[in-house]
Amino acid sequence: MIADPVDQARRLAHARFPEARAVVLAGSTAAGRATAGSDLDIAVLVPDGGESYRETIRFEGRVVELFVHTGTGLRELFAADAANRRAVLQSMYAGGLVLVDRDGAAGEARALAEADLRTGPPALAPGAVETKRYGLTDALDDLADASDRIECLAVGGFVLGAATDLLCDRRRAWLGSGKWLPRRLLAADPVRGAALLEGHLHLCASGDPALLVAAASTVLELVGGPLREGYRRSWHGVLEPVGAGGAAARVSSSGA
C-alpha cells in the first residue's frame, strides 16, 4: 500500500522539526497531483538562531526537498527570489498546505508571499532588455540557417527560453524553469505563450522551425524588434550589472 504523501509530510515535520514555527507542504502533493514517484516539497520556518538551508533527503522511501529558514532568512530568500523574477518560495507559501502554524507564523509568511506575488517581479533594466533582444535575434538567425537536426533542437530550446524571458518581463510576470516554464509562460500571455510552446513542439516533432521563428518574432516586436547592427556593450574588466537585482549579463549572449 502506498503511503499517503500528506501524512508522510506531517510525520516528517513532527519527527525532524518539532520546534518549527511553520511547516508548509507545496508542489504537486499540495495541489492534489501527486503520483507514487512524486517528491515532497516542504518549507520549514525555524526559530531565530537556527540555520537557513536547502537539503534533499529520503523519508519513508520518498524523496523530500526541504527549504528551511529562519524569519530573517525567509525575508532574504523572498528578496532574492523576487530579484531573480522567479518567486519560487513565495509560491510555496502562498499556495501550499499548512501543516504546522505556531502563533500565526505560517499566516504571516503567507501574507508576505502573497504581497510579493501581487506586486510582481521587478522590470529588467533597459540594458538587459537590449542584450536579451540581441541574443534572441542572433539565435533566430542561427535557427533559420541550421541544417543539423541536433543543433536545430538545441538552438530552438534557447529561443523558447529567451522569448519566454522577454515576454514575461514585458507582462511583468514571474518566470519559471522546467515544468514551470510553460505554466508561467501561459499565465503571462496565453496567446503568445501558446504559440511559442506549439512552435517548439512542432520543431521537436518535425524539425521545422518556422512556427517557432514566427512566434518568437512576435515577441521581439513587442520589445523593439530584432537587434543586430547598432548593438554595443563596453567591457570594463567586470561583468556589468544590467538586470534587476544586480544580476549580471554576459557581454556576449551566444557561443561561437
Side-chain angles (χ1 to χ4, degrees), residues 76-96:
E76 292 172 347
L77 288 165
F78 274 2
D81 268 1
N84 289 331
R85 301 162 55 222
R86 295 190 180 272
V88 174
L89 200 56
Q90 287 94 329
S91 296
M92 293 178 70
Y93 270 98

Side-chain angles (χ1 to χ4, degrees), residues 135-160 163 196 199-200 202-204 207-217 228:
L136 181 54
T137 302
D138 185 56
L140 286 174
D141 290 342
D142 287 344
L143 192 57
D145 291 339
S147 56
D148 182 271
R149 180 71 181 273
I150 300 298
E151 291 181 0
C152 190
L153 291 176
V155 176
F158 177 86
V159 167
L160 175 62
L196 284 169
H200 186 250
H202 181 71
L203 169 62
C204 293
D208 177 13
L211 294 180
L212 180 58
V213 169
S217 295
R228 298 180 185 87

Side-chain angles (χ1 to χ4, degrees), residues 80-174:
D81 268 1
N84 289 331
R85 301 162 55 222
R86 295 190 180 272
V88 174
L89 200 56
Q90 287 94 329
S91 296
M92 293 178 70
Y93 270 98
L97 175 65
V98 176
L99 303 180
V100 175
D101 185 9
R102 284 193 171 86
D103 301 321
E108 292 175 8
R110 175 164 288 181
L112 290 173
E114 290 174 341
D116 277 359
L117 293 175
R118 284 194 301 270
T119 300
L124 287 171
V129 175
E130 187 175 76
T131 294
K132 292 176 185 293
R133 279 176 58 204
Y134 178 81
L136 181 54
T137 302
D138 185 56
L140 286 174
D141 290 342
D142 287 344
L143 192 57
D145 291 339
S147 56
D148 182 271
R149 180 71 181 273
I150 300 298
E151 291 181 0
C152 190
L153 291 176
V155 176
F158 177 86
V159 167
L160 175 62
T164 296
D165 198 346
L166 283 167
L167 185 56
C168 285
D169 177 64
R170 178 74 176 185
R171 298 297 186 227
R172 291 296 301 278
W174 297 104

